[in-house]
Amino acid sequence: MSGQKTIRVVVCGDEGVGKSSLITSLVKETYVPNIQKVLPPIYIPNDYSSNQYTSNGMLVIDTSPDDLEILQNEIRNADVLWLVYSDHFTYERISLYWMVMLRSMGVNLPIVLCSNKSDLQEKNEETATGIINDEFVTLVNEFKEIESAIRCSAKNNYNVSQCFYLCQRAVIYPLSPLFDSHHNELKPSLVEALKRIFFLCDKDQDGHLNNQELLTLQKTCFGKYLDINELESIKTSFSTTDGLDDEGFVNLNKTYIENGRHETVWGILRAFHYTDSLSLDPEFLYPKLDVPLGSSVELSPVGYRFLVDLFILFDKDNDGGLNEIELLNLFKPTPGIPKVWEESNFPQTTVKNEQNYITLQGWLAQWSMSTLLDYKVTLEYLAYLGFETKSNKPKKTPSNNNNNNNNSVAITDPIDPTTFVSHNTIEALKVTKPRRTRKTNGKTYRTNVINRTVFNCFVVGSPGCGKTSLLDTFLQRPYNEVYIPTLQPRIAVNSVEVKGGKQHYLILEELGQLEPAVLANHSRLNQCDVLCLVYDSSNPESFQYLIDLHTNYPQINECPIVFVALKADLDKQQQRSIIQPEIYTKNLQLNSPLHVSCNWPSSVLEFFLQIAEAAQNPSKYTPNIRDELVSQDDLDNFKYFVVVASTLGVVSLITAWAWKSGSRN
């Protein structure tokens, strides 16, 4: 329950069962004779119950069976029904009239069944209790809507507040999503949620919850320590020789429900952000992140640290790679490997080792790419994977002295559950400064980038020029001499160490048959940090493709561009184009094509460094801008010289005047 609404409790039942007296006894805490037939709605503020999940209190509504239209209207607007009977006749009417009417109305509300006027029951308390219990069992077994039943007395103010609490609990801690009363078993969605919670609490991933993990779970969910006697009872009843496994954890929660303690189960579920429908809260999965226009999103150091720890935890064989089983285990608490990963052919998109297992370098690169291209996927999966950060603020730790409960458990482990833990996935991300553009003589260019580490590069060129081999080399894959045309877009992501030892991530996208559509799409092109135009230096027909491309899509002039001549280990051919590559790039005021061969590792490294350089300093790689910038720099230098000279002249005149004035004196 969100806790942002007033709970509407509708009290209903036959005439004379004591509905109004129960409400009065609840509010006044004493019996009041001679009250009106139907009370007006009574609001009970939240202070009455002090429950953390209710924010606007409860509204108790009295009804009369005489006005059926008003009664049914109130029932339709209710959150819970307080259904009252007081004798055998009104008891029989529960199944013969009231439950039939409720079902015919199509409502499915939790019902708290109340046997009122217990002060008039048999003198023999044990006999009366047995009769009442038999009555309750019969109705509860027949009607799943009845969540709880209790006997009370408005005259003696007996169990009235407990009735009210049960109504409140039926809304705040609903039983129906948790338990199938007909089959006496937990709902599958609850079992799935509990197993996910167990998985996240099993910090060492040994398949069992040890004492420390159980205590941390208790502290996380209820803000207090677990009683040592209860801890020992749990271990005795539900643990195996190695500790509490997931089946034992599920059975433990089933026992809580069967014993009427389903608020304990809800306390666990809500601590892990589950809603009443047992799905994760959308606000938890997709927290609001303000991303200004032109900004990008990257992982923060905290986010990278979490992903590194996750990789190490699930690399069970310590071989430096995640195999298929380890990946499946890692993604257990999630819907599975992200769809966007599968659509881009993961794990072929990133770095793998000789056994085809994804490495830590590839793991971090993949997440860096996901965050840049769609940060909401990263937020969602960080939530599923149990992202958390711990503060360094010291907290008081209970000690076993005479002033403390001797049954409390003292925590001395460094992973102290008293440490403040945040599950705010926003902390795992950082928003970069917006991309800025400038104009000079009507030409637009991007300004330099100083706070980004992940960049997107489109690799464009004629079919067969070597784009695929370039991406394979980027991922440290062996050269494949068999030519396979790229039809669908392909992505490769890896890190590169730039000047100063900093790690940057480059995303190389080969566009395939979507190349014309992407280059014509302004918003898609705006996602590109560097446009890499490649041609086959050994094929004389290859460069003309880039000239035609540049003519057909003039909008690419606003992107930083790097020209690359691939297959440089083969004989260089004169290009059969209207202009040769070196002259063409010179006319565009760009660097000459970089000659690269996948068989020359040093040339490939230089290519990656130049891509990173172009992404950080786009003005140097934007067509037809360099001369304009030089002219602007000369003009700025001239203005600076004029200002300095003028300032020095004024200072000289003032000094001379002051010297002459001093001489006269």
Side-chain angles (χ1 to χ4, degrees):
M1 179 181 173
S2 64
Q4 299 303 312
K5 58 177 286 187
T6 299
I7 297 176
R8 296 177 64 91
V9 181
V10 174
V11 187
C12 52
D14 286 331
E15 193 74 30
V17 294
K19 301 185 295 298
S20 302
S21 296
L22 282 171
I23 297 172
T24 305
S25 182
L26 170 68
V27 176
K28 300 293 186 180
E29 297 184 352
T30 186
Y31 177 66
V32 179
N34 302 321
I35 56 176
Q36 63 193 82
K37 184 178 179 181
V38 179
L39 298 174
I42 297 176
Y43 175 75
I44 300 177
N46 193 42
D47 294 347
Y48 188 93
S49 63
S50 67
N51 189 288
Q52 61 175 317
Y53 293 107
T54 57
S55 60
N56 294 325
M58 302 180 71
L59 189 66
V60 182
I61 301 170
D62 194 8
T63 62
S64 170
D66 294 338
D67 195 330
L68 188 60
E69 184 178 352
I70 294 178
L71 171 65
Q72 292 186 343
N73 184 60
E74 292 293 355
I75 289 174
R76 290 190 179 93
N77 293 321
D79 295 308
V80 58
L81 299 182
W82 187 348
L83 184 56
V84 184
Y85 73 92
S86 61
D87 53 28
H88 183 71
F89 175 74
T90 53
Y91 166 77
E92 293 291 339
R93 291 260 300 166
I94 296 295
S95 57
L96 296 176
Y97 173 75
W98 285 100
M99 297 307 302
V100 173
M101 181 190 71
L102 293 174
R103 287 185 171 181
S104 68
M105 290 173 60
V107 297
N108 187 19
L109 296 170
I111 297 173
V112 174
L113 185 64
C114 174
S115 174
N116 192 23
K117 303 183 181 181
S118 63
D119 55 290
L120 300 179
Q121 302 294 339
E122 295 186 28
K123 299 295 183 180
N124 188 323
E125 184 72 17
E126 292 183 3
T127 304
T129 302
I131 294 173
I132 293 296
N133 286 342
D134 290 342
E135 291 177 350
F136 287 161
V137 169
T138 302
L139 289 175
V140 169
N141 287 339
E142 183 177 357
F143 302 104
K144 66 179 181 62
E145 300 95 321
I146 301 176
E147 289 209 356
S148 55
I150 189 171
R151 66 182 186 132
C152 61
S153 170
K155 186 173 183 178
N156 293 342
N157 196 29
Y158 171 68
N159 275 350
V160 177
S161 60
Q162 283 79 355
C163 287
F164 173 75
Y165 167 72
L166 290 175
C167 291
Q168 189 183 45
R169 188 179 75 157
V171 178
I172 300 171
Y173 309 114
L175 180 60
S176 57
L178 307 181
F179 196 69
D180 185 340
S181 56
H182 286 310
H183 297 91
N184 195 36
E185 60 185 25
L186 302 182
K187 296 284 184 72
S189 54
L190 174 60
V191 175
E192 182 181 347
L194 290 174
K195 289 192 173 185
R196 175 180 175 271
I197 291 171
F198 176 92
F199 186 88
L200 295 178
C201 293
D202 184 14
K203 298 298 183 182
D204 55 9
Q205 285 300 303
D206 65 349
H208 299 85
L209 297 185
N210 55 38
N211 284 3
Q212 181 62 63
E213 291 165 341
L214 278 170
L215 293 170
T216 303
L217 172 63
Q218 171 77 10
K219 181 66 178 178
T220 299
C221 298
F222 306 105
K224 60 182 180 180
Y225 294 103
L226 192 66
D227 183 89
I228 190 169
N229 295 325
E230 187 171 356
L231 176 62
E232 291 302 321
S233 175
I234 290 172
K235 291 168 61 179
T236 301
S237 303
F238 301 99
S239 296
T240 65
T241 54
D242 297 321
L244 184 68
D245 61 12
D246 59 348
E247 292 296 332
F249 183 66
V250 170
N251 289 330
L252 170 64
N253 282 275
K254 183 180 180 182
T255 302
Y256 286 146
I257 293 174
E258 290 173 338
N259 292 338
R261 292 178 56 188
H262 45 280
E263 62 266 33
T264 301
V265 180
W266 276 115
I268 296 172
L269 292 169
R270 289 190 172 122
F272 285 85
H273 308 282
Y274 281 91
T275 65
D276 286 359
S277 62
L278 294 185
S279 60
L280 285 174
D281 189 342
E283 292 184 2
F284 171 63
L285 290 178
Y286 309 105
K288 185 178 180 181
L289 180 63
D290 185 18
V291 183
L293 185 64
S295 294
S296 61
V297 182
E298 299 180 1
L299 288 164
S300 68
V302 173
Y304 278 116
R305 181 72 260 173
F306 173 78
L307 293 171
V308 169
D309 292 342
L310 205 62
F311 182 96
I312 295 172
L313 179 62
F314 285 90
D315 181 18
K316 294 298 184 181
D317 51 13
N318 295 316
D319 64 349
L322 295 179
N323 57 41
E324 289 185 6
I325 295 177
E326 290 168 340
L327 269 176
L328 288 175
N329 287 335
L330 189 153
F331 282 105
K332 258 187 181 180
T334 76
I337 292 176
K339 289 184 179 180
V340 291
W341 288 22
E342 294 179 338
E343 290 170 357
S344 62
N345 200 27
F346 173 83
Q348 305 304 322
T349 52
T350 193
V351 184
K352 300 187 293 183
N353 60 19
E354 294 178 354
Q355 289 76 35
N356 275 336
Y357 303 158
I358 183 171
T359 65
L360 177 59
Q361 179 183 356
W363 173 252
L364 297 179
Q366 183 73 22
W367 281 109
S368 299
M369 177 188 71
S370 295
T371 307
L372 181 72
L373 300 182
D374 189 353
Y375 71 86
K376 291 183 179 179
V377 172
T378 300
L379 284 175
E380 176 188 6
Y381 272 79
L382 286 173
Y384 278 124
L385 291 166
F387 170 82
E388 63 182 28
T389 55
K390 296 181 175 67
S391 72
N392 294 323
K393 295 179 181 179
K395 298 269 185 176
K396 291 183 179 180
T397 304
S399 58
N400 290 334
N401 54 34
N402 294 331
N403 296 325
N404 287 339
N405 182 355
N406 290 331
N407 288 333
S408 64
V409 180
I411 308 298
T412 57
D413 194 283
I415 309 175
D416 192 337
T418 58
T419 303
F420 176 75
V421 177
S422 170
H423 296 276
N424 183 10
T425 53
I426 295 294
E427 297 179 19
L429 305 184
K430 68 173 184 179
V431 180
T432 66
K433 293 181 180 179
R435 176 190 287 163
R436 304 294 184 187
T437 59
R438 290 182 180 174
K439 282 190 176 182
T440 176
N441 292 335
K443 299 176 182 177
T444 303
Y445 65 95
R446 301 170 184 174
T447 59
N448 291 351
V449 177
I450 58 174
N451 69 330
R452 287 184 57 188
T453 59
V454 186
F455 301 100
N456 198 11
C457 173
F458 292 171
V459 181
V460 178
S462 60
C465 67
K467 301 185 295 295
T468 300
S469 296
L470 185 64
L471 268 63
D472 286 339
T473 304
F474 185 48
L475 298 178
Q476 303 169 12
R477 309 267 168 83
Y479 175 72
N480 185 2
E481 294 185 358
V482 179
Y483 171 64
I484 302 176
T486 301
L487 302 179
Q488 298 298 321
R490 185 193 170 198
I491 293 180
V493 58
N494 199 356
S495 61
V496 58
E497 186 175 309
V498 299
K499 187 177 180 180
K502 294 182 178 180
Q503 290 284 333
H504 283 20
Y505 290 94
L506 299 181
I507 305 168
L508 303 186
E509 291 193 51
E510 187 181 358
L511 305 178
Q513 292 182 333
L514 293 181
E515 184 178 288
V518 170
L519 295 181
N521 188 321
H522 184 270
S523 61
R524 188 75 172 89
L525 196 60
N526 197 45
Q527 297 173 354
C528 175
D529 294 298
V530 181
L531 189 61
C532 180
L533 301 182
V534 301
Y535 69 99
D536 180 358
S537 61
S538 67
N539 180 358
E541 310 292 341
S542 185
F543 189 74
Q544 183 61 43
Y545 180 89
L546 298 183
I547 297 177
D548 295 339
L549 194 77
H550 208 266
T551 303
N552 295 331
Y553 304 99
Q555 60 269 29
I556 67 176
N557 281 328
E558 295 185 7
C559 292
I561 295 178
V562 173
F563 280 87
V564 180
L566 295 177
K567 304 183 183 181
D569 56 324
L570 303 179
D571 291 339
K572 180 180 178 181
Q573 299 290 328
Q574 187 83 0
Q575 292 295 312
R576 298 193 188 106
S577 54
I578 58 176
I579 187 172
Q580 291 303 300
E582 288 76 11
I583 300 175
Y584 186 77
T585 54
K586 184 178 180 180
N587 290 343
L588 291 175
Q589 301 171 26
L590 297 176
N591 295 340
S592 297
L594 188 66
H595 289 264
V596 174
S597 169
C598 295
N599 295 320
W600 297 347
S602 59
S603 69
V604 176
L605 177 60
E606 181 61 28
F607 161 69
F608 297 144
L609 291 175
Q610 190 166 120
I611 293 295
E613 163 71 14
Q616 294 177 88
N617 301 282
S619 59
K620 295 181 180 180
Y621 293 84
T622 303
N624 303 312
I625 291 294
R626 183 178 297 174
D627 290 349
E628 301 290 347
L629 294 179
V630 171
S631 300
Q632 186 64 40
D633 289 342
D634 290 342
L635 180 59
D636 291 342
N637 291 335
F638 176 73
K639 290 179 179 178
Y640 175 76
F641 172 77
V642 170
V643 171
V644 171
S646 301
T647 303
L648 291 175
V650 171
V651 171
S652 298
L653 289 174
I654 293 173
T655 303
W657 178 80
W659 181 80
K660 289 182 179 180
S661 298
S663 298
R664 293 193 188 110
N665 294 333

